[in-house]
């Protein structure tokens, strides 16, 4: 289990596969389980990297406040520790914000895939974001993440997700510090983020309004946007379709030469 360090904070990450690197950047509170579907599908033709944000999983949980520039520096520490020269970034929510900042400040990002991300924390519904925390309860905290249809149709999946969350999710002060990083975010000048970017957003996402995510896609020089049925974790609920889309996007911008 590799570990990187940024200013004394230990950051856990895991890798799999062999090929061009794809790095997954998590959302507020959620552990690495969030990327299980994408990770398994891509590992092989791509090298996949998943890391625990500070406050989550096996990474350190220093006292807040946290901010996106610091979290982007954490990502740089992980990639430098692993010796990554360039990487495709896939981020959700806060992770999408981190990816935007990282792409602007550092030189390793090749493409961006952003799920349920806004260019400004002012667009994020702070109450809806807090309701996603396990502190709100196992069942209640899934309401804003997954559609009722999924939860009713696949209770076994919901049970597995709940077990994974209990093991790895950030709660309490760590969740609050990550949430504050998201709500306090202001994107760098979007015209300067020139990497090819795809933005996907849930049509019923209570945390990031459709208008905010669509506006982000429109304002990126090489951005495209697409609405997806579902709520804040629509990319998990429709992982099969979106993983296929992600694979096609990565293949378009990758020569598969390591």
């Amino acid at each position: 289990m590799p570990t990187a360090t940024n200013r004394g904070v230990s950051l856990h990450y895991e890798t799999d596969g062999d090929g061009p690197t794809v790095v997954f950047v998590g959302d507020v509170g959620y552990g690495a389980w969030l990327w299980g579907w994408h990770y398994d599908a891509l590992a092989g033709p791509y090298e996949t990297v998943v890391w625990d944000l500070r406050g989550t999983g096996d990474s350190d949980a220093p006292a807040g406040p946290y901010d996106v520039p610091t979290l982007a520096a954490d990502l740089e520490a992980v990639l430098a520790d692993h010796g990554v020269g360039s990487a495709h970034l896939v981020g959700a929510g806060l992770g999408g914000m981190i990816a935007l900042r990282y792409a602007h400040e550092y030189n390793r990002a090749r493409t961006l895939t952003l799920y349920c991300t806004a260019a400004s924390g002012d667009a994020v519904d702070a109450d809806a974001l807090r309701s996603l925390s396990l502190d709100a309860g196992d069942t209640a905290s899934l309401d804003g993440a997954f559609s009722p249809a999924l939860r009713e149709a696949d209770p076994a999946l919901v049970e597995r997700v709940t077990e994974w969350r209990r093991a790895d999710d950030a709660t309490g002060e760590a969740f609050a510090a990550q949430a504050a990083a998201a709500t306090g975010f202001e994107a760098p000048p979007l015209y300067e983020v020139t990497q090819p970017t795809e933005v996907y957003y849930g049509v019923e996402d209570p945390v990031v309004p459709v208008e905010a995510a669509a506006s982000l896609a429109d304002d990126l020089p090489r951005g495209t946007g697409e609405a997806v049925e579902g709520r804040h974790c629509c990319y998990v609920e429709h992982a099969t379709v979106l993983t296929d889309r992600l694979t096609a996007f990565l293949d378009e911008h990758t020569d598969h030469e390591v």
Side-chain angles (χ1 to χ4, degrees), residues 113-146:
T113 301
L114 311 177
Y115 298 129
C116 302
T117 299
S120 172
D122 290 342
V124 174
D125 187 312
D127 291 336
L129 179 58
R130 283 192 293 270
S131 76
L132 300 180
S133 170
L134 271 177
D135 298 323
D138 290 347
T139 301
S141 62
L142 292 175
D143 185 59
F146 299 109

Side-chain angles (χ1 to χ4, degrees), residues 162-251:
T162 299
E163 291 173 355
W164 296 331
R165 296 186 68 201
R166 289 172 181 167
D168 291 326
D169 276 15
T171 57
E173 293 182 2
F175 182 95
Q178 292 181 7
T183 56
F185 175 67
E186 286 298 332
L190 293 178
Y191 64 85
E192 295 179 354
V193 180
T194 58
Q195 291 84 353
T197 304
E198 291 194 339
V199 181
Y200 297 93
Y201 44 91
V203 296
E204 296 180 334
D205 185 353
V207 178
V208 176
V210 167
E211 296 79 7
S215 176
L216 169 61
D218 289 342
D219 290 342
L220 289 165
R222 301 176 69 185
T224 62
E226 183 171 336
V228 179
E229 292 296 325
R231 299 186 177 179
H232 194 59
C233 289
C234 60
Y235 52 94
V236 173
E237 188 161 342
H238 300 287
T240 300
V241 173
L242 291 185
T243 299
D244 288 344
R245 293 290 301 272
L246 173 60
T247 301
F249 177 62
L250 297 178
D251 286 346

Side-chain angles (χ1 to χ4, degrees), residues 17-38:
D18 183 19
T21 302
V22 182
V23 182
F24 297 95
V25 191
D27 200 356
V28 173
Y30 293 135
W33 66 265
L34 189 67
W35 301 115
W37 295 265
H38 290 66

